[in-house]
Amino acid sequence: MAHPVSAFQAAYISIEVLIALVSVPGNILVIWAVKMNQALRDATFCFIVSLAVADVAVGALVIPLAIIINIGPQTEFYSCLMVACPVLILTESSILALLAIAVDRYLRVKIPVRYKSVVTPRRAAVAIACCWIVSFLVGLTPMFGWNNLNKMRRTQELNGSHTEFVIKCQFETVISMEYMVYFNFFVWVLPPLLLMLLIYLEVFNLIRKQLNKKVSSSSNDPQKYYGKELKIAKSLALVLFLFALSWLPLHVLNCITLFCPSCETPHILTYIAIFLTHGNSAMNPIVYAFRIKKFRTAFLQIWNQYFCCKTNKNASTTTDEPGN
C-alpha cells in the first residue's frame, strides 16, 4: 500500500469513521426490523439479515482494522495477517448472501406453488451456515500458507539481515496478490457476480412472461403476485449492482498491481476504491428504506415507538400489510 502524507491519513481516518457511524446503526436497524416484523420472516429476509450482519461487522471491525493497517504499526507477520483477513471473510460472506438471495428470488418465480415446501426455514438456515463456513475458509486461506511470508524471508536473507522478523503492517505486505487475483477475484468474486447477473436476467424474463400471460386473466391474483415480485427483484438487483460497483474498482487495481508491477497507481484512486468497498455496507439499508415497503414501514415503526416515544400498540399491525 502507498505511504500517505499525514493530511491524507487524517482525511482517510475521518471518512472511515463517518462510514462506520452510518453503516453500523443502519444495518442494526435492518436486523431489528426483521426480528420485530412477522412480514419479514421469509427466506429472502433471512439472507438479507446475514448480509446485514456482515455489513455491521465491516463497520465495527473491518474499518477499525483498516485504520490500523493504514497507520502501519510494527508487528509480527501473522499478527498483521490476522488484522488483514477479516475483510476477506466478510466480503465473501456478502457475495454468498447475495447469491443466496438471487437463487431464492429465482425459485419464487420459477416454482411459486412449491416454493414454501422447497425453501423451508431449516434449509434457509443451513444455506446461511454454509455461506459463512465457506466465507471463513476462503478468507482465512492466507493464514493457511498462501501469503507473502516466504517472499519476505527471502528478501531479508538477501539483505543479510538476521534480526527478529518484524514488519510494518500493511495489507499488500502480508496478503499475496496472486491469492487476491487468481483465487479471491477470479474464483470467488467474479464468477458469483456473473452467475447472479444471469439469474436476475432470468428472473425478470420469467416475471415478464407471466405478467404478459396473465393480462387477460379474470383473476388479478397472479398479476398482483408477479407484479410484487418484479418490484422486489428490482430492489435486490439494485443491491447487487451497488455491490459490484463498489468492489470491482479495488479488484481491478489489484489486477493492475499483479500484472503490471511497473505501473504506479495514483494514491487517490486506491483511497477511493477502499472507500467504495467500505461504503457499500452503508448503502443497503438506504435501498431497503426507499425501495421495499415492508422495510420502510418497519423502520418507521421502530423510529416512532423507540425514538419518538410513541407506544401505540396498534401500529404493529401495520407492518403485516401486504406489499413490498
Side-chain angles (χ1 to χ4, degrees):
M1 297 288 285
H3 296 278
V5 297
S6 58
F8 266 20
Q9 192 175 70
Y12 169 82
I13 293 172
S14 300
I15 295 172
E16 288 281 40
V17 169
L18 180 61
I19 292 171
L21 291 175
V22 174
S23 177
V24 173
N27 285 285
I28 288 176
L29 190 61
V30 170
I31 299 168
W32 192 354
V34 174
K35 183 179 184 301
M36 69 177 291
N37 189 350
Q38 285 293 130
L40 297 172
R41 295 289 179 84
D42 63 16
T44 299
F45 296 107
C46 291
F47 295 132
I48 286 176
V49 166
S50 180
L51 181 60
V53 168
D55 288 337
V56 168
V58 168
L61 177 64
V62 169
I63 288 179
L65 293 179
I67 291 173
I68 291 173
I69 288 179
N70 181 261
I71 294 171
Q74 297 291 325
T75 182
E76 294 180 353
F77 184 89
Y78 276 98
S79 297
C80 182
L81 203 56
M82 289 178 65
V83 172
C85 282
V87 67
L88 304 174
I89 296 170
L90 296 172
T91 303
E92 191 56 40
S93 172
S94 297
I95 291 171
L96 294 179
L98 289 169
L99 180 58
I101 290 169
V103 172
D104 178 73
R105 301 323 294 185
Y106 173 77
L107 293 175
R108 277 180 173 274
V109 298
K110 184 68 175 178
I111 52 168
V113 177
R114 295 190 297 118
Y115 170 79
K116 288 189 177 179
S117 63
V118 172
V119 185
T120 61
R122 179 183 177 85
R123 288 174 179 171
V126 170
I128 291 171
C130 289
C131 288
W132 279 98
I133 291 170
V134 172
S135 300
F136 272 92
L137 292 175
V138 173
L140 291 178
T141 297
M143 295 291 294
F144 303 145
W146 197 346
N147 54 52
N148 287 335
L149 180 59
N150 290 333
K151 186 198 303 186
M152 296 194 68
R153 280 178 173 163
R154 286 195 299 269
T155 303
Q156 188 182 38
E157 290 171 1
L158 289 173
N159 293 335
S161 175
H162 301 287
T163 59
E164 185 181 354
F165 195 63
V166 176
I167 63 168
K168 184 174 183 179
C169 184
Q170 294 183 325
F171 189 85
E172 289 184 15
T173 303
V174 293
I175 300 293
S176 165
M177 273 300 116
E178 286 81 3
Y179 161 82
M180 285 301 299
V181 174
Y182 293 126
F183 185 67
N184 188 278
F185 182 48
F186 287 167
V187 176
W188 291 104
V189 174
L190 193 58
L193 288 177
L194 293 175
L195 179 58
M196 283 183 269
L197 174 62
L198 295 175
I199 289 173
Y200 275 111
L201 288 175
E202 181 61 16
V203 166
F204 292 134
N205 182 50
L206 288 171
I207 290 174
R208 286 194 165 86
K209 281 183 179 179
Q210 291 296 328
L211 289 175
N212 291 335
K213 188 166 62 176
K214 299 295 182 180
V215 166
S216 60
S217 174
S218 58
S219 172
N220 64 354
D221 285 341
Q223 190 85 356
K224 183 178 179 181
Y225 176 82
Y226 285 106
K228 192 166 71 173
E229 286 299 316
L230 180 60
K231 290 179 182 177
I232 295 179
K234 284 180 178 179
S235 301
L236 297 174
L238 176 60
V239 170
L240 172 61
F241 172 76
L242 291 173
F243 182 89
L245 191 67
S246 299
W247 278 96
L248 287 179
L250 187 60
H251 284 290
V252 170
L253 291 178
N254 288 338
C255 290
I256 293 172
T257 300
L258 178 64
F259 298 127
C260 184
S262 61
C263 300
E264 287 194 16
T265 304
H267 300 340
I268 190 64
L269 289 183
T270 302
Y271 278 101
I272 290 172
I274 292 171
F275 291 146
L276 282 173
T277 61
H278 295 165
N280 179 253
S281 298
M283 296 176 189
N284 293 342
I286 298 171
V287 174
Y288 303 149
F290 281 96
R291 301 276 308 184
I292 301 179
K293 185 178 179 181
K294 289 178 182 178
F295 267 121
R296 185 165 62 251
T297 304
F299 290 165
L300 287 173
Q301 181 192 348
I302 291 170
W303 176 259
N304 290 331
Q305 186 170 340
Y306 294 96
F307 297 97
C308 294
C309 300
K310 295 179 181 179
T311 56
N312 182 8
K313 300 299 182 184
N314 293 329
S316 62
T317 60
T318 62
T319 59
D320 293 329
E321 66 182 8
N324 303 314

